[in-house]
Amino acid sequence: MQVTSSVREPLVTGGKTYKDVTHDVARQVEGKPTIGWMLGLAVSIGVLLLGSIAVGATVWEGIGMWGLNKTVGWAWDITNFVWWVGIGHAGTLISAVLLLFRQKWRTSINRAAEAMTIFAVICAAMFPVLHMGRPWLGAYWALPLPNVFGSLWVNFNSPLLWDVFAISTYFSVSLVFWYIGLIPDFATIRDRATGLRKIIYGALSFGWTGAAKIWMRYEAVSLILAGLATPLVLSVHTIVSFDFATSVIPGWHTTIFPPYFVAGAIFSGFAMVLTLMLITRKLFKLEDYITMVHIELMNIVIIITGSIVGIAYITEFFIAWYSGVEAEQYAFINRAFGPYWWAYWSMMTCNVISPQLFWFKKIRTSIVFTFALSIVVNIGMWFERFVIIVTSLHRDFLPSSWAMFYPTWADVGVYLFTFGLFFTLFLLFAKFFPVINMAEVKSVLKSSSEKVNK
Amino acid sequence: MERDTNFVLGIYDDEDVLKEAVTKVRESGVKIHEVFTPYPVHGLEDVLGYRRSRLPIAAFLFGLCGTCLALAMQLLMMAVDWPMIIGGKDHAAIPDFIPVTFELTVLLASFGMVGVFMVSSDLKPWAQPRIFDKRSTDDKHVMAIDIAVNSGLEEAKIKELLEASGASEVNNKSFE
């Protein structure tokens, strides 16, 4: 027997039936592309092409094209890397952690969030690969293969190598998780299609029939993948934070980094999910599936993770003072009042103050405010990584080495390239793949739709 | 193996009616070929009498392989083949090997389990599945009963049983 609640807000509005769900989601895939989508794609490809000039120049000339110097050896590249990886985290969190916690509200947003994860990790991977200088050798250097000079191996004591394993595992497990979820929906589209589309979606659906026995296995696979991906979410950003935390640089060498990075990742990831979801629901008319309940719940996650990040900032300051280590104390005073004060205070304003506005119900249930604040949070999280990396590096142990970092056109161009790549991939996904998980939305329709709550 | 070709299909609109129908049909001694649903119906596997999936065991075993592989690889490379002192650490710096070991455990467990799932469920890009009713991936639940398997029963009786169990439609389906 279904247990329904008349107290909780419905997750699917508009009195939808199973057929309506199929129709509303498959409509985008089956119909002609809209003007808005084509414009978006044209802009994204334009940005991608523009940015590819910078990528080409970097590959051709080397990373001397970037604004790095002898003191600031990591700057925009690693800032962008950590930022993009962080954005990816919400996807796995929504699909895996919320699945384990039996949160039904994940069903409308998990598909797009997982796609966002995959594309964000691709963008993230661009930066360390390009930073290797000779990326065509990158795969060789990072793989556990013996060196050409003898059987000298990669260094398993290095967090940079842990990153290689963490990011590639994260990417491949997320990709598999995402694809397994897509198979039943591809079958739905296959059964509605004719001609070439039937052949393509037939191949993509892997011969899915919806047999009860296979659904049972599918659910077992989903649950175990969720169970495996949940510690993966925590491990990936923990390992990314080890890139810094295992070093001896003041401002980096802190035990708070792993949980602080994970919270920050979820914070920025949810902000990006909100940005994308608000655009998608409007462009594809999916307001009945991505409802105010979804938006409000995501905003609540932003309040929680934003507050954790805020506490982490204060803790860093406290520990720097309490440790009595002068270099540590200097690093933090320099962050707030040194030459990069503007980056620090931008970070504080965007990440600590702005999400607190979501305590007001009027603000967290307003589309305009949510959209604006989701972008503010992402800007803030970019600044957070920039502050951590550049302010800690630019004041070296030797004052004679002190330097500033100034980005070049190539730095800006490579960053633009990843934006172009991300949005091009996302728009192609949104057009050719079902953007909402039809099967999962149907499975909660009987208990959480507007019909049953009436 | 020769495949059976003639089926009776009971089409259901509601998952709860379907589950009761499955119980009734099985109690009456009719063997159900398979039930097709557009989404996972919880509890359906119980009334159909399916055994619990052993995929978790596969995942565990593959994960164990990942753990062993990762530890063996790192120890062989760092401690046996080319031992070097890095950062004053031991050659066999086990705590340093934990991140990679964890990642490879997760990687092999996931890929191994998904591989087993794909093979055991016959899911592959070139598969040509038998579609009993296209609506089973849209909005209907379809119960397929193989006439040849239930040869002791008349087809009309099976149809009556399906109708009585709440099927909104009862159809015949033949495959060439």
Side-chain angles (χ1 to χ4, degrees), chain B residues 1-27:
Chain B
M1 197 181 84
E2 200 174 301
R3 298 213 286 183
D4 300 320
T5 53
N6 293 313
F7 295 86
V8 175
L9 306 181
I11 315 285
Y12 296 84
D13 299 336
D14 185 278
E15 59 182 64
D16 293 325
V17 177
L18 171 79
K19 276 189 271 187
E20 279 173 29
V22 168
T23 314
K24 270 186 211 161
V25 169
R26 289 191 72 212
E27 278 170 0

Side-chain angles (χ1 to χ4, degrees), chain A residues 153, chain B residues 69-83 97:
Chain A
W153 301 94
Chain B
L69 178 81
L71 280 174
M73 174 179 78
Q74 293 174 94
L75 286 168
L76 277 173
M77 290 175 186
M78 304 301 288
V80 179
D81 192 47
W82 194 277
F97 298 163

Side-chain angles (χ1 to χ4, degrees), chain B residues 46-173:
Chain B
D46 293 334
V47 289
L48 278 165
Y50 288 157
R51 275 195 1 203
R52 250 182 95 173
S53 167
R54 282 171 296 180
L55 283 163
I57 301 170
F60 176 75
L61 293 177
F62 276 105
L64 205 61
C65 289
T67 312
C68 297
L69 178 81
L71 280 174
M73 174 179 78
Q74 293 174 94
L75 286 168
L76 277 173
M77 290 175 186
M78 304 301 288
V80 179
D81 192 47
W82 194 277
M84 275 175 76
I85 304 284
I86 298 162
K89 290 168 194 149
D90 189 7
H91 298 139
I94 299 288
D96 285 6
F97 298 163
I98 288 174
V100 170
T101 308
F102 170 77
E103 300 298 335
L104 282 185
T105 304
V106 169
L107 186 73
L108 261 75
S110 310
F111 272 70
M113 176 186 61
V114 168
V116 172
F117 166 62
M118 291 288 185
V119 172
S120 64
S121 306
D122 203 22
L123 294 175
K124 51 193 180 240
W126 57 92
Q128 297 290 336
R130 295 203 288 190
I131 308 293
F132 286 79
D133 193 313
K134 282 185 175 181
R135 292 172 297 173
S136 68
T137 54
D138 182 5
D139 62 336
K140 302 285 185 198
H141 306 287
V142 176
M143 191 197 298
I145 292 169
D146 190 338
I147 298 169
V149 171
N150 295 289
S151 52
L153 285 160
E154 279 176 43
E155 195 181 318
K157 288 261 189 227
I158 298 173
K159 285 186 170 175
E160 254 174 51
L161 182 67
L162 290 179
E163 265 164 21
S165 70
S168 57
E169 273 175 52
V170 177
N171 302 327
N172 276 81
K173 178 81 185 176

Side-chain angles (χ1 to χ4, degrees), chain A residues 19 22 153 157 212 219 446, chain B residues 16 35 42 81 96 137-138:
Chain A
K19 211 169 185 56
T22 313
W153 301 94
N157 295 295
E219 290 234 284
K446 206 173 173 196
Chain B
D16 293 325
V35 177
H42 290 168
D81 192 47
D96 285 6
T137 54
D138 182 5

